[in-house]
Amino acid sequence: MTSSDYPNFKTHFIELFREASSAITTPDDTLRIELTRTKQASHGDYSCNLAMQLAKPLHKNPREIANLLIAALPPSPYLEKVEIAGAGFINLFLKNSAKQQYLHHILQSKNAFGHSGFGQGKKIQVEFVSANPTGPLHVGHGRGAAIGASLSNILAAAGFNVSREFYVNDAGRQMDILTLSTWLRYLELNHVHMPFPANAYQGEYVKTMAQLIFQAHTDRYVHQSALLLDGLPETAHTTAVDTDEQLDQLIANAKKILGQDYAYLHNFVLTEQLGDCRNDLMEFGVEFDTWFSEQSLFDSGLVAHTIQLLNKKHYLYQQDGATWFRSTDFGDEKDRVVQRENGQFTYFASDIAYHLNKFERGFDQVINVWGADHHGYIARVKGALQALGLDPARLEIALVQFAVLYRDGKKASMSTRSGEFVTLRELRQEVGKDAARFFYVMRKSDQHLDFDLDLAKSQSNDNPVYYVQYAHARVCSVLAQWDGDVDDLAEADMQALSSPVELALLQKLIDFPDTVEMAAKEFSPHLIAFYLRELASEFHSYYNSTRFLVPEIPLLHARLALIASIRQILNNGLGLLGVSAPDKM
C-alpha cells in the first residue's frame, strides 16, 4: 500500500453515511454530515449525529433512524464495529489494524503529512502586520505577524494558493509627522533649536535617522528653518506645540521651506523604517510575497477612479463641503467621509481602492489580519465592496487582540509616539524566536494574550514550547541510540502496537490532518498549538513508561516507527507555526 492509498477516515465514513442516508430517504446532496472525535475510547473513535438530523424530516425516533442507517452502511475495511449511544448518536470504532497501518502513510509522506487538497488551489491573499512604517515593530505587531504567518502556512498546507502581503502606509499623515520629527532632530544637530512637538515621534530611532542625514549631508537641509513657526501662536516659540492643528501647520511649513528636499527626507525615513521592518520580520521568520504601496493607489489614479465608481452608483453625497459614503446602508453606525473639504482623500478612500485592487488581481478570497481595535471598520469596508458590486463574503477579517507583555510581574507600556515601547526585536532577543512565535499563537486570536516572559524563558514542562520541542528531541535521542535507518521503519510490521496507550497515540496521529484542515477552515492557528501540546503530553507519558530499545525486533521496530511518526508530526506542526524542531535540548 502506497502513501496515497490511505484514506482520510473521517471523509471515508462521511461518504458511507451519505450512501446510507440515500438508501433510507430521498438523496440530498446538501445534507451536512459531520463526524466528531469522541472524548473517551470506550465511545469509539468517531461519533455521528445524522440520525438526529433526519428525525424531523422522517418523523421517526432518532434511535430507530440510527438502526436504519447502520443497516444501510456499506462495508468498510477500516471499521471494527458501530454502536448507538444516547439519544441516537452513532459511534464508530476503527480497527486496530487500520490505526497501526496508518504509520506507513505518515512515514512515507514525511514533511507532506498533514497536507491536503481541501483548498482546491483557490487563490487566497492574507494581508497582515501592515504597520505604519513610523517606528520599530512592537510586541503588539508581533502577535499579528505570528498569527498571519502561521495562518498562511496552514492555508498553504490545506491546499490553497496563498499570497502573503504587507500593505505599506506610505501616503498618510503619520509619515509626514515622522519626516518632520526627523528633520527637527537634524536641525538640533545643526544647532538650530526649537521646542520639539509633544505629539511628534519621540523615540531614539528618530535621532538615529537624523544623525545619518547629518553625517551624510551636514547642513544641506537647514534652509530657512526660522520660518518653520510661521502662522503659529507666539507661545509656539517657547513652548512645544501639542495640538494636531499646530502640528499640521508645522508640516505644511516644512514642506514649503524644504521644497523638493522634503521628498528626499520623506523617502529617506520611509526607506529606513521599512528596511528595519523587513529585517525585523525576516529574523522573526516572517516573509511576504508582496509589499504593496498605498502611494501607488494615488499615483495610478485608482483612488479617484474608485470614488467615481461609487458616485456613479449613487452611494456618495455632499455635505459640509466633504464627500460622504452611505455606509449606513450597509450596517455601519454612521456614514463616512471619503474626500475632505480641501479635496484630500481619507484613509478610508484609499482602503476602498486597495480592496478593490485585491479582487482585481484575481484572488478568490481575501483575509485581513487586523488588530481588534479595527472591529468597527469591518462593516464600512464590506459595505464599500458590496456597493462596488463585489461579494463582501469574499473578504474575511481575523481580529487579533493585543498582547500584553509582563516582565517581573509588571505590565510594560507601549507607545510609538513617546518612544517608550518594547520592540519585537527586544522580545525576540530576550525569549528567542521560537518561544515568541509559539506563545503568540497559543490562544485564539480574538482573545487577549498575557505574554509571560519568565515562563517563555524557563526550561520546564510548564513552558509549552519547551515541552513540545523537548518531545521532538527525546525521539531524536532514542533513534540516535538505535542507530538504524529511519526510512526502513516505514516497512515495519506494526501489529505489536496494541496497548491502550499506543492505540490512543495512533489515533492522535491520525487526527493531525483533520486538525490542519479545521485550523484552515476557522483561521485558527491556535488549534495546531493545542494539538502539539496534547501530542507532546501523550508522548512524554509513553516515553516515561516504555522501553523502546528492546531485544524483540518486531516490537523494537514497531515502537520506533511510532515515535518516529510522532517526531515527524511534531516537526510538521512546529513548522506550520514557524517554530524550530531541535534534535537536542
Side-chain angles (χ1 to χ4, degrees):
M1 218 180 197
T2 64
S3 174
S4 60
D5 293 328
Y6 285 88
N8 178 300
F9 292 123
K10 283 179 69 173
T11 303
H12 170 71
F13 292 134
I14 286 171
E15 289 305 311
L16 296 187
F17 274 114
R18 191 169 299 282
E19 290 187 42
S21 67
S22 296
I24 69 170
T25 185
T26 304
D28 181 3
D29 291 336
T30 65
L31 185 64
R32 189 172 179 180
I33 303 173
E34 293 184 343
L35 264 66
T36 57
R37 283 281 290 112
T38 58
K39 294 182 179 180
Q40 298 180 29
S42 60
H43 295 164
D45 299 296
Y46 301 101
S47 183
C48 183
N49 67 349
L50 180 58
M52 272 87 87
Q53 286 182 256
L54 295 176
K56 188 174 181 180
L58 294 183
H59 307 290
K60 291 182 179 179
N61 181 285
R63 289 185 68 92
E64 182 182 351
I65 296 173
N67 277 309
L68 293 173
L69 287 169
I70 291 172
L73 269 181
S76 168
Y78 312 110
L79 194 57
E80 178 67 34
K81 63 177 180 177
V82 184
E83 292 181 350
I84 300 172
F89 289 99
I90 301 174
N91 291 340
L92 308 175
F93 293 74
L94 271 176
K95 287 183 177 179
N96 288 349
S97 60
K99 296 180 182 181
Q100 293 159 351
Q101 297 308 308
Y102 201 78
L103 290 185
H104 298 302
H105 174 38
I106 299 171
L107 293 172
Q108 289 167 10
S109 299
K110 297 184 179 180
N111 291 345
F113 182 71
H115 291 214
S116 72
F118 168 69
Q120 300 179 323
K122 290 180 180 177
K123 289 184 67 177
I124 192 166
Q125 184 214 55
V126 185
E127 183 226 321
F128 57 107
V129 184
S130 297
N132 283 333
T134 53
L137 297 174
H138 58 59
V139 297
H141 298 133
R143 192 177 189 203
I147 289 172
S150 298
L151 176 58
S152 298
N153 294 341
I154 290 164
L155 289 167
F160 290 93
N161 181 1
V162 179
S163 178
R164 300 157 174 84
E165 184 152 308
F166 187 115
Y167 181 51
V168 182
N169 300 112
D170 53 357
R173 178 173 178 266
Q174 298 304 317
M175 284 307 305
D176 283 330
I177 297 174
L178 182 62
T179 303
L180 173 70
S181 305
T182 306
W183 187 50
L184 290 174
R185 294 303 190 195
Y186 161 82
L187 291 177
E188 290 176 3
L189 295 173
N190 281 282
H191 309 294
V192 178
H193 296 280
M194 58 188 66
F196 195 83
N199 47 356
Y201 286 100
Q202 309 282 338
E204 283 297 316
Y205 65 95
V206 178
K207 295 179 180 178
T208 300
M209 288 192 296
Q211 186 71 43
L212 291 172
I213 296 170
F214 177 72
Q215 288 171 354
H217 303 288
T218 58
D219 63 351
R220 175 176 173 177
Y221 301 110
V222 173
H223 294 309
Q224 296 171 296
S225 53
L227 300 177
L228 185 60
L229 300 177
D230 279 5
L232 291 167
E234 193 67 30
T235 54
H237 292 259
T238 56
T239 306
V241 301
D242 58 2
T243 68
D244 285 340
E245 292 77 9
Q246 291 176 348
L247 189 62
D248 287 340
Q249 183 64 55
L250 282 176
I251 292 169
N253 290 347
K255 289 180 177 180
K256 184 177 179 181
I257 293 165
L258 286 163
Q260 293 183 345
D261 285 341
Y262 183 85
Y264 163 78
L265 294 176
H266 184 282
N267 186 63
F268 176 83
V269 298
L270 171 65
T271 302
E272 283 293 310
Q273 290 309 308
L274 206 53
D276 182 72
C277 178
R278 284 177 190 262
N279 291 336
D280 203 2
L281 288 168
M282 284 183 66
E283 290 168 6
F284 195 43
V286 177
E287 296 190 38
F288 292 89
D289 301 299
T290 305
W291 293 72
F292 191 97
S293 163
E294 179 188 7
Q295 185 62 48
S296 70
L297 296 170
F298 292 95
D299 295 342
S300 66
L302 185 58
V303 177
H305 174 67
T306 303
I307 299 307
Q308 287 174 2
L309 287 176
L310 290 172
N311 192 44
K312 286 179 181 178
K313 293 174 179 288
H314 308 293
Y315 285 112
L316 301 182
Y317 65 90
Q318 304 292 318
Q319 182 176 305
D320 301 327
T323 303
W324 298 69
F325 170 62
R326 301 181 189 277
S327 53
T328 50
D329 289 358
F330 304 96
D332 198 6
E333 59 185 1
K334 62 181 181 180
D335 292 342
R336 306 291 172 174
V337 175
V338 291
Q339 193 170 17
R340 298 189 181 94
E341 187 177 0
N342 62 6
Q344 290 186 337
F345 292 110
T346 62
Y347 286 123
F348 181 44
S350 56
D351 277 345
I352 299 172
Y354 177 44
H355 284 82
L356 175 61
N357 170 271
K358 290 185 181 193
F359 289 109
E360 286 180 339
R361 281 186 270 159
F363 292 111
D364 298 304
Q365 188 175 22
V366 166
I367 300 174
N368 291 348
V369 180
W370 283 351
D373 56 337
H374 284 67
H375 181 272
Y377 212 70
I378 298 174
R380 73 191 77 159
V381 173
K382 287 200 168 201
L385 288 176
Q386 189 173 343
L388 290 167
L390 292 164
D391 180 3
R394 291 171 63 193
L395 170 64
E396 295 280 357
I397 310 295
L399 291 176
V400 178
Q401 284 286 356
F402 204 64
V404 180
L405 185 66
Y406 285 86
R407 180 184 286 109
D408 299 325
K410 297 178 181 178
K411 183 193 282 190
S413 63
M414 293 170 287
S415 170
T416 53
R417 284 290 187 88
S418 70
E420 297 172 359
F421 56 87
V422 179
T423 66
L424 175 60
R425 186 172 282 117
E426 289 169 335
L427 173 68
R428 208 173 56 249
Q429 289 170 347
E430 185 161 350
V431 305
K433 177 184 79 73
D434 287 344
R437 287 290 298 259
F438 198 95
F439 268 62
Y440 272 134
V441 300
M442 281 196 310
R443 288 184 178 274
K444 197 174 179 181
S445 65
D446 60 1
Q447 293 180 345
H448 282 283
L449 175 69
D450 291 340
F451 197 117
D452 187 335
L453 283 169
D454 298 322
L455 179 61
K457 291 185 289 185
S458 68
Q459 294 189 354
S460 70
N461 291 344
D462 293 328
N463 179 352
V465 67
Y466 176 84
Y467 191 59
V468 174
Q469 289 179 319
Y470 185 41
H472 185 273
R474 271 183 150 178
V475 177
C476 290
S477 176
V478 174
L479 293 176
Q481 292 175 56
W482 170 56
D483 197 28
D485 189 340
V486 174
D487 287 341
D488 292 341
L489 295 175
E491 306 302 324
D493 182 351
M494 310 299 181
Q495 290 185 64
L497 300 173
S498 57
S499 73
V501 171
E502 289 166 337
L503 291 170
L505 266 170
L506 288 169
Q507 183 60 55
K508 191 69 180 176
L509 301 186
I510 292 168
D511 290 341
F512 181 64
D514 293 326
T515 304
V516 175
E517 185 174 311
M518 185 60 68
K521 280 182 182 177
E522 299 184 0
F523 310 141
S524 297
H526 73 280
L527 294 178
I528 303 296
F530 283 5
Y531 173 91
L532 293 174
R533 291 174 70 178
E534 291 171 356
L535 176 59
S537 177
E538 291 188 32
F539 166 74
H540 285 305
S541 296
Y542 182 54
Y543 179 92
N544 292 332
S545 63
T546 306
R547 284 183 60 211
F548 299 104
L549 304 179
V550 294
E552 299 87 1
I553 298 301
L555 182 60
L556 166 72
H557 286 173
R559 285 180 175 172
L560 291 180
L562 174 56
I563 64 170
S565 298
I566 291 171
R567 180 180 70 168
Q568 185 66 64
I569 292 177
L570 290 172
N571 176 78
N572 294 2
L574 287 169
L576 293 176
L577 302 183
V579 178
S580 70
D583 294 347
K584 297 179 181 179
M585 295 290 283

